[in-house]
Amino acid sequence: NALKLWITQKCNSYFILQRRRGHGDDGGKFTGRLVGALDAVLDSNARIAPYRILLQVPGSQVYSAIACGATVEEISQNWEWLEQNLLHTLSVFDNKEDIASFVKGKIKGLIAEEASSKLAEQEEDPEKFREALVKFETRFNFPEAEKLITYYSCCCWKARVPRQGWLYLSINHVCFYSFFLGKEFKLAVPWVDIQKLERTSNVFMADTIRITTRSKERDFSMFLDINETFKIMEQLADITVRRLLDNEIFELDPTLQEPTQITKRDLETRAQNEFFRAFFKLPRNDRLHEVLDCSLWTPFSRCHTVGTMYASDSYVCFASKEEGSCNLVIPLREVISVEKMEDTSHLPNPIIISIRQKMAFQFIDIKDRDSLVENLLIRLKQINASSPLQHNILKNEDMNPALFNRKAFGDFEIVTSISAAKESTLNAEALMAVFHQTGTESPDSRMPREQIKEHLWNDHFAEYGRTVCMFRTEKIRKLVAMGIPESLRGELWLFFSDAVTDFKSHPGYYSNLVEKSMGKCCMATEEIERDLHRSLPEHPAFQNETGIAALRRVLTAYAHRNPKIGYCQSMNILTSVLLLYAKEEEAFWLLVAICERMLPDYFNRRVIGAQVDQSVFEELIKERLPELAEHISDLSVLASISLSWFLTLFLSIMPLESAVNVVDCFFYDGIKAIFQLGLAVLDANAVELCNSKDDGQALMILSRFLEHIKNEESPLSPIGSLHGLLNDDQEPYNVTDIADLIRDSYEKFGDISVQQIQCMRCRHRIHVLQSHEDTTKQNVLRVVYPDVSFSLEDLEELYDLFKREHLVSCYWGVTGSIVQRHDPSRPYVEHYRIDSQQFTNLYKLISSWTCGSHTGILAERAFRLLDENMDGLIEFKGVVAFLDVMYYGDMSEKIKMLYRLHIPPALSQNDIDCQSPLRNPLLSTSRPLVIGKTNGDGVDYQKHLKQMLKDLEKEKDKKAEKELPKMTQREFIQFCKTLYSMFHEDPEENDLYQAIATVTTLLLQIGEVGQRGSSSSQSGSEEFTYEDLQGEASTSDQDSVFTDTLKTPCRSSQPPPAAEVEWMVSFEHILASLLTEQSLVNFFEKAVDIKLKLESARVNQCGFRSNGMSQQS
């Protein structure tokens, strides 16, 4: 019995963990020794692993080996994975064969996935990936442009039942395929339809990925590495949603510009780049090249600090492994040399980076040191070559300690001398130096505190450096939290934000920008002028033209520099504070750093970035203040209240002397400081907020608290916030010191990391953008609904189809710019527009006027009719108005629409279908007007004709509405062809053909009579009367009414002379003729159920487009 060779160590309802005899504790026994000896002498390929796990299905005598291991640790990991991911799931199955099949399928999937990932890591020929790609293309039938990024083995839960299969992640869709127990299951969800992507848990599984759309939730679990899968899904969802829904401001990395070229490695690189730029507050266009583990010599601690080096286009940065221990930012513009040192046992692979301010940084333990140094020198050379003037000037600067004082920092006389004349009108020093006001207390009470702070900072500078390259440690964070001294604030803001690098590398840029932008009028300048006197009106610096003029110049110059942002409210408040503490040009570069790096996407028309951070703030409230979140059901109220906190960095709702301390923390720690301070404010007022009765009371609680935050150490005179100036509340209120509030924020919430914020932003951006899409949709429906007969439900479905047609075209090779088709800056009804090909696809899906092969031609004519401004694009409102006539119009409206589709501009000279005129015996004008019916009776159409002409005369006299142009014979032939095509496969097809033959003959003869009457008229009138017609007609035989008068033109083979009047027929002629045939009336008055069309279109839209693309390719 083979089982005697194994000893059971663990077991449960389904799995057994066993150890082979001769391995482990019982090796001393005879049996164990024998088995161990046998195992030892066997060939290595035949040796049996000493540990294994068996699958034992209850009630079955069959055991299946599903795992093996060489060590206890290895087999224990497998056992834990089975318990966490499979054990609770198996109880769902009733059939023991199903259990065995499910477990084996899962294990095989994991093995295949692990093998695939190893191939990818080794950069070998990825045969497994090719195999997966073929299966993906076969199973989902997408065009070749739908690039597969990666795939994972997992389970998709459906009604508490897991389906084992494969998750495919492509550039536009997340797809799942399963073939289980003879049943095939397919799922394809566009990334752009996802409302929420999150990790969650359920009763059966501890960790799942949940995808939420407007209609459903889908849970996926049992991943080999759920962290990796979720990160890739987050990146793909973020890229696709922003590319398609936020193209107004979203700029992709160069490697991601072409979606069909995106790879899994590109996504991982993008995530790393975004974290790097957010962590060190660097420009968006700075690309990361190397990430290396190393150690940095930190002289203040007299040891090497272990961490990570990040080398990018323009920077070398360092972050210690212990968060906050030591960070470093070195702009390559400050570097004068990068050198390799001698390799020793104490200093392995060292390099020295020297900067202009007589500082040097030593890095050791660098792998591939030679390659790093070579790349750094290449980039350093490129940077110096891009601005040789700046390089030469700085190279020859006197690098003595005096350079570090405030005067030397702010002048740069040599650099700016070229444009000195232009800068003569700019403010040469910060406004606070000109309009400085001390507090009401004596200098002896507050100024010594400032002097103490300055002394502490000077000591810090001596040890840690006084440049942008200073060592950033926990000590400097504590100094910042205490409040930066007034005399050093502007300088340190420039260092912490690295605006000083931009300032140095762009000499004369700001003055040239001011010269170009001043005096030019646009919407931004009008808004700036309105807000100039609302910017810190309580401060004396902005109560005179000096401060106002500087503010105007900075804001106007920035609007000129960045038209995408232009000017946004709250920028005036931020800029006015920057001007207080920095020179005018420095303030401009600080504003650039805030708008373009530190608060990305905040200052634009839709303030997407601010809304994303409000959503992140809500999640942080739930995590960090659960009791408050439990009492306040709608946290969006707190988020909306806090919007101004983020947009103005608390400057608009807190006294200025306190708010500048918040700005200090913001420049050092970035948006993290605002999040943690916001949480501290809510925490301090949690009890009162929980007891508040409504939103208004909550707003008052927070407003009063913020207005009474004081800065006891500030030398400035107290200046309240704008809100506080307008509030006459004189009741006594407890005062909070800003230093205490900031200290509490760091102690309680300082563990919030930049990486955590970035991940949360990525998730919540999807939700915010989808909320904007929902708002757009509701506004469009509100505008369109009163003018059409569709139900709101059908109209909503039509909007989704219209929008999806645009998106599907973007997926697979739309030509032209997406911005033209989706422009959020336009009015709501014009956000999405489609071109001719997209409209044709949509028309074929939802039109009730299907004409076989003629349908596409009719769709093109309809597009030309709707494209009134002839820009090649139409919006949703026009499409719905057209469909409304098609489905709910009366016969007169439908015929008028068809009529308009067959005259210019809908019918063009280049219309493909017009090149060969329709020739059909039914259109011969020699046919008599008496049509024999099946029962042998005849119908006299002469009486109908006479009455019709009389009615037309009366209608002409009324002139109730603007007449439609008359239709030529060529246009009329196309009109008839459309009608014939529309009747194909109709249940009453024969009757309709007979009726249209009669009407066509009648109209042809009316047109020819009108042509003859117009030719013989001497008065120039193009009309003819019933009496004219009667004079030409013979009364002896009703059949000869038209046959005699039309003999000559029908028999003549000569073309009509050029001067002859063209054959014409009017809309009224056509309508009246069609009304004579009841079968035609029934056809056009017949109600058509659009719901069936919509349901079919919803199912077939993507598949229809896929097939079409495949055929085209």
Side-chain angles (χ1 to χ4, degrees), residues 248-267:
E248 178 188 16
I249 54 175
F250 179 50
E251 294 179 2
L252 279 170
D253 294 339
T255 54
L256 306 178
Q257 289 287 358
E258 179 53 53
T260 56
Q261 302 301 319
I262 295 175
T263 64
K264 181 180 174 183
R265 182 171 295 179
D266 291 334
L267 296 174

Side-chain angles (χ1 to χ4, degrees), residues 572-586:
N572 59 318
I573 297 173
L574 291 173
T575 307
S576 58
V577 174
L578 298 178
L579 284 166
L580 289 178
Y581 292 99
K583 297 179 181 180
E584 187 175 322
E585 187 171 358
E586 297 169 355

